[in-house]
Amino acid sequence: MGLSSALNTALYGLKYNQRQLDVTSANIASADTVGYTKKSLQASVDYGNNGQVIGVTADKITRSLNENVQRQFRSSNADYSYAKLMDSYASRVDELLGSIEDPGALTEVWNDFVGNLKALTTSPEDYTVRLQTVQSAKALASELNSATAAVQQMRQETETTIGATVDRVNQIISSVADINNQIVSQQAGNQSVVDLEDERDRYLDELSGLIDINVRNDPNGSVRIYTTNGMSLLDVYPSELRFDERATITAEAQWNDDPALRQVGTLTLVTPGGSTIDMISTRGLSSGKLAALVDMRDNYLVEVQSQLDELASQMSLALSSNTVESTDAGATPPQNGLQVDLASLQKGNKVTVTYTDAASGEQRTVSLIRVDDPSQLPLSNSETADPNDTVYGIDFSGGNASAATQMQAALAAAGLTVSNSGSTFSFVDDGGTTSTLTGLNATVTATGLTDEGTGLPLFTDGLAGQPYTDALEGRDQKVGYAGRISVNPAILADNSRLVIYDTVTPTEEGDPTRPLAMLKALTETSYDYDSSAGLGSKTAPFDGSVTDYLSAIVGRQSAKAANAATTLAGQKVVTNNLKDRLDDSSAVNMDEELARLIQLQNAYSSNARVMTVVRELFDVLMNA
C-alpha cells in the first residue's frame, strides 16, 4: 500500500469514527430521556479501482426497536386505558350505593324505612311512630334524589372529558402529520430522521391510550393511522374528530341513533374530503379512553340510573296500587263474560285480560295500558316486564266508548267482544269457539289519601305532589323519577292518613290494615322488573319483592366494580410487561456504550497516528 492509499484509508477511518463517536455520545447523553431509542450507525465498504478495500463509509443511523412488541403494546395500552377509566367510575358507583352493611348507604336508609313501617303495624295510633315513618320516607326519597344527582354528575363529567380528549386526539394527529412531512422531506435529502421518528412514536404511544389505533408504515417514511375498526384518522392528510358537547346532562338525556332524538353530544369523524362519520352509531371506537368515556356515559351510568328509576317506580306503585277485581257480566251460556269498573284507571295503569286459546289450549295474557298520547301508539310488548303478555295501548282521551272500540279491535282476533256502559267495561268470549275468558282485573293507582282502598300515594313525582302512575305521555314518567321522587305533601301535613284509608266507614286510628298492606307490598309481594335496567332478561325478568330488587341492584353494581378492578389489574400487568419488553429492545446499555466509546477513541487515535506517520514520511521524501 502506498503512502497516498494509507493516508486515504486513515481519513476514511477518522470520518467514520467521528460519526460513531457522535452517535455513541448521543446515546449516552440521552439514555434517560423518555422515548429515546438506542441509535446505531450502519456502514458500507468502499473499494478502489483495483478491487481493494480503501475505507468504510457511514450510510445512515438506525433505531433499535422491536416493532412487533410496539404494536402489541399500543393495542394493550388502549385496553388498559379503557379498563382504568371504567374501574374509576365503577368504584365510585359502588361507593355511592354502598354495601348492604354500610351505614348511611341506600340499603341502610331502606331498612330504616321498612323498620318504621313494621313499628307502624303494631302502633298505628302512635303519632311519634307515624312521624318517624314519614321522616324515614323523606330520607329514602332524598337518598334516591342524591344518588340520581351523583350519577348525572358523573355523566356530565364524561361529557366534558370527551370534549377535552377529542381536542387532544386532534392535536396529536396534527402533530404526527407535521412530523410525517418533515420525515419525508429530510429522508429525500439523505438526512437522518431517527430523532423525528422517536418524537412521532411518543405521540403515537400517547394516542394509543386515548383511542385504539392501527399504525401502518409507508415506504417514504410517513405513517398512516386507522382505528382498529378501520376508520382513517391520518392518511395523506389528517381527519378531524368533532364533538358537540352538551352543557347539561340529565337522566332524560340519552343516546339515540336518530340524531333528531339525541340529547347527548355526538362524536363525528370528518375526513379531509368533508365526509362525516358518526363514530358512536357506527361503533367506530372499540377501546381506549375515548371509547370508555362514551360507554360510561351512554351505557354503564344509564343502567345505574335505570335501576334507581325502576326501584323508585316499583316502590311507589307497590304502595299506591289497588287491584279492581271483575264481576260477572251476565253473559248467556256457553259464553263467559266479566266486567270491571275503570273509573279510577289512570294514565299508565293497566287492564289485564286472560283467556284460553281454543286451538292450542294455552293460557294467553293481554295487557291494555291507558295511554292518552296517540304519538306513543302502538306500544311494544316490552312496555311491561311480563315476558308472555301482549301489550296494547288504549287512548281514553276520546271517552270510554272510544276506548271500548279500541279494546274490541285489539281483542277481536281472540274472539272477545268488548263493550261499555259508562266506566264499566264488559268482556265476553265466543263460548269457546276461539277462546274462553278466564280472568279480568285492573291495576289502578290511588291518587287520593282515602276512600280508594288501602293503596296510598306516599311518594309523588316532584314536590308539587303529582301522582306517579308510570304514565307514557310526552315522555316515560319513569325516566329520571328517582331524581324527582318526594313524599306526598298531603301526608306531610297529616300523617294520620298512613293509617286512615276509609272515611265512609271511618277507619279507627288503631287499625293496622293499611300499614300491614304497605309492608306486605314492599317486602313480600313479588313483581316482575323491567329487564332493560340490566337485571334479568326479557324472557326471564327479575322477580322478587322491592327489598329483593334493591339488594340485587347493590349486588350487581358491587360485582361489576369488582370485575372492573380485576380486569384493570390483569390488563395493567400485561401492558407493563409489554412496555418493559419494548423499553428493553430500545434501551441504551451504558456499559456497552462506554466500552464502545473507549474502542472508538482508540481507533481514532490509531487513524490519527497513521496520518502523522504518513506526514513524517512525506516530509522525509520532500527533504530528500
Side-chain angles (χ1 to χ4, degrees):
M1 177 184 291
L3 291 179
S4 296
S5 297
L7 179 61
N8 193 47
T9 299
L11 285 171
Y12 268 103
L14 281 175
K15 291 179 180 179
Y16 180 66
N17 284 341
Q18 184 59 54
R19 290 290 304 278
Q20 282 190 312
L21 282 169
D22 292 341
V23 172
T24 303
S25 298
N27 282 341
I28 294 173
S30 304
D32 295 329
T33 301
V34 176
Y36 181 83
T37 58
K38 177 184 174 181
K39 309 299 188 301
S40 301
L41 185 65
Q42 290 186 342
S44 59
V45 178
D46 287 347
Y47 296 92
N49 294 330
N50 58 2
Q52 292 183 334
V53 176
I54 61 174
V56 178
T57 301
D59 286 338
K60 65 177 182 178
I61 300 174
T62 60
R63 301 189 301 160
S64 176
L65 182 69
N66 189 324
E67 293 184 353
N68 184 47
V69 173
Q70 185 182 57
R71 285 192 295 271
Q72 295 178 45
F73 165 72
R74 286 173 179 165
S75 176
S76 182
N77 191 37
D79 293 339
Y80 171 67
S81 296
Y82 183 97
K84 184 178 180 181
L85 187 132
M86 296 299 286
D87 174 71
S88 67
Y89 278 92
S91 61
R92 289 171 64 182
V93 170
D94 186 37
E95 183 179 352
L96 173 67
L97 297 180
S99 68
I100 296 176
E101 296 83 12
D102 285 347
L106 181 58
T107 50
E108 184 67 21
V109 178
W110 171 265
N111 289 335
D112 185 49
F113 172 57
V114 171
N116 282 313
L117 269 182
K118 288 181 179 178
L120 187 63
T121 62
T122 59
S123 304
E125 75 288 348
D126 192 323
Y127 176 85
T128 301
V129 173
R130 296 200 302 265
L131 180 62
Q132 290 174 341
T133 302
V134 172
Q135 293 301 321
S136 61
K138 286 183 63 178
L140 179 57
S142 178
E143 186 69 21
L144 288 169
N145 296 163
S146 298
T148 294
V151 169
Q152 297 314 311
Q153 176 59 38
M154 283 188 270
R155 292 187 71 212
Q156 186 69 61
E157 287 176 17
T158 62
E159 181 85 354
T160 302
T161 308
I162 288 172
T165 304
V166 165
D167 289 343
R168 183 55 184 159
V169 167
N170 287 330
Q171 291 170 3
I172 292 174
I173 293 174
S174 177
S175 296
V176 171
D178 291 341
I179 295 174
N180 272 348
N181 293 334
Q182 295 178 55
I183 288 176
V184 171
S185 176
Q186 293 190 21
Q187 199 159 262
N190 293 321
Q191 300 179 53
S192 175
V193 296
V194 290
D195 289 333
L196 287 172
E197 289 175 334
D198 280 353
E199 183 182 2
R200 184 174 64 187
D201 277 349
R202 286 194 290 272
Y203 279 121
L204 291 174
D205 288 346
E206 181 185 354
L207 183 63
S208 71
L210 302 179
I211 189 171
D212 53 302
I213 58 172
N214 182 13
V215 180
R216 301 178 189 176
N217 297 313
D218 278 354
N220 63 0
S222 65
V223 297
R224 300 177 187 233
I225 309 174
Y226 303 87
T227 69
T228 54
N229 289 335
M231 304 294 184
S232 176
L233 301 176
L234 173 62
D235 202 290
V236 177
Y237 300 101
S239 298
E240 180 187 7
L241 284 175
R242 294 179 184 173
F243 182 65
D244 58 334
E245 181 180 338
R246 305 302 170 93
T248 303
I249 298 292
T250 64
E252 292 77 14
Q254 297 184 13
W255 174 262
N256 193 297
D257 286 339
D258 184 352
L261 302 177
R262 200 169 296 166
Q263 298 170 300
V264 291
T266 302
L267 184 61
T268 305
L269 182 68
V270 182
T271 68
S275 300
T276 59
I277 302 171
D278 188 330
M279 294 291 283
I280 300 177
S281 293
T282 59
R283 310 297 186 265
L285 303 174
S286 60
S287 193
K289 180 180 180 180
L290 196 53
L293 286 166
V294 172
D295 193 9
M296 184 58 63
R297 182 196 69 178
D298 296 341
N299 299 305
Y300 196 108
L301 293 174
V302 169
E303 178 189 282
V304 176
Q305 184 61 57
S306 296
Q307 290 172 1
L308 292 173
D309 291 341
E310 183 71 8
L311 174 67
S313 174
Q314 288 288 8
M315 176 180 68
S316 297
L317 293 175
L319 294 173
S320 62
S321 294
N322 292 306
T323 300
V324 180
E325 300 292 352
S326 60
T327 59
D328 191 299
T332 302
Q335 293 179 300
N336 297 299
L338 296 171
Q339 61 184 11
V340 62
D341 186 356
L342 302 183
S344 300
L345 195 74
Q346 305 294 321
K347 296 175 183 177
N349 287 173
K350 178 178 65 174
V351 177
T352 302
V353 182
T354 59
Y355 64 90
T356 301
D357 181 71
S360 65
E362 295 179 351
Q363 181 86 353
R364 303 289 174 82
T365 301
V366 176
S367 296
L368 306 172
I369 300 178
R370 177 172 177 174
V371 183
D372 290 357
D373 181 359
S375 66
Q376 300 295 326
L377 302 176
L379 297 183
S380 164
N381 287 341
S382 62
E383 286 298 337
T384 69
D386 187 344
N388 301 312
D389 68 341
T390 302
V391 178
Y392 296 98
I394 306 298
D395 182 2
F396 276 74
S397 62
N400 290 328
S402 172
T405 301
Q406 296 171 58
M407 294 179 186
Q408 173 64 58
L411 298 173
L416 299 177
T417 303
V418 183
S419 60
N420 78 291
S421 175
S423 63
T424 300
F425 286 68
S426 298
F427 295 72
V428 180
D429 64 26
D430 58 3
T433 302
T434 306
S435 64
T436 301
L437 183 65
T438 57
L440 174 67
N441 65 59
T443 303
V444 301
T445 303
T447 57
L449 304 185
T450 60
D451 304 321
E452 295 184 35
T454 57
L456 175 69
L458 176 60
F459 295 102
T460 56
D461 190 348
L463 297 176
Q466 177 185 353
Y468 179 79
T469 62
D470 197 14
L472 300 175
E473 280 73 11
R475 59 168 173 77
D476 190 337
Q477 190 181 14
K478 182 165 59 177
V479 176
Y481 176 54
R484 305 188 306 272
I485 187 173
S486 61
V487 174
N488 193 327
I491 295 291
L492 295 176
D494 183 5
N495 62 36
S496 69
R497 298 313 183 190
L498 289 171
V499 178
I500 298 174
Y501 64 92
D502 194 343
T503 59
V504 177
T505 304
T507 307
E508 296 182 3
E509 285 197 2
D511 188 345
T513 301
R514 175 172 267 182
L516 285 170
M518 295 169 65
L519 182 63
K520 181 179 180 180
L522 296 178
T523 62
E524 298 181 26
T525 305
S526 289
Y527 309 94
D528 287 337
Y529 297 82
D530 188 354
S531 60
S532 66
L535 289 171
S537 64
K538 180 56 184 174
T539 56
F542 181 87
D543 179 73
S545 68
V546 180
T547 298
D548 295 335
Y549 189 70
L550 174 57
S551 298
I553 291 174
V554 174
R556 175 174 173 81
Q557 296 307 324
S558 179
K560 290 180 70 173
N563 182 62
T566 301
T567 301
L568 175 61
Q571 193 60 48
K572 183 177 181 179
V573 171
V574 173
T575 305
N576 286 343
N577 287 340
L578 288 169
K579 185 66 168 67
D580 290 342
R581 288 175 58 192
L582 180 61
D583 290 344
D584 289 345
S585 73
S586 60
V588 174
N589 187 312
M590 291 296 290
D591 292 337
E592 291 180 359
E593 296 301 316
L594 290 173
R596 184 177 293 110
L597 188 61
I598 293 173
Q599 292 174 352
L600 292 172
Q601 288 174 338
N602 291 335
Y604 192 92
S605 297
S606 298
N607 284 310
R609 179 59 182 160
V610 170
M611 293 183 66
T612 301
V613 171
V614 170
R615 187 190 64 184
E616 291 175 351
L617 290 175
F618 271 119
D619 288 344
V620 170
L621 289 174
M622 295 298 293
N623 290 333

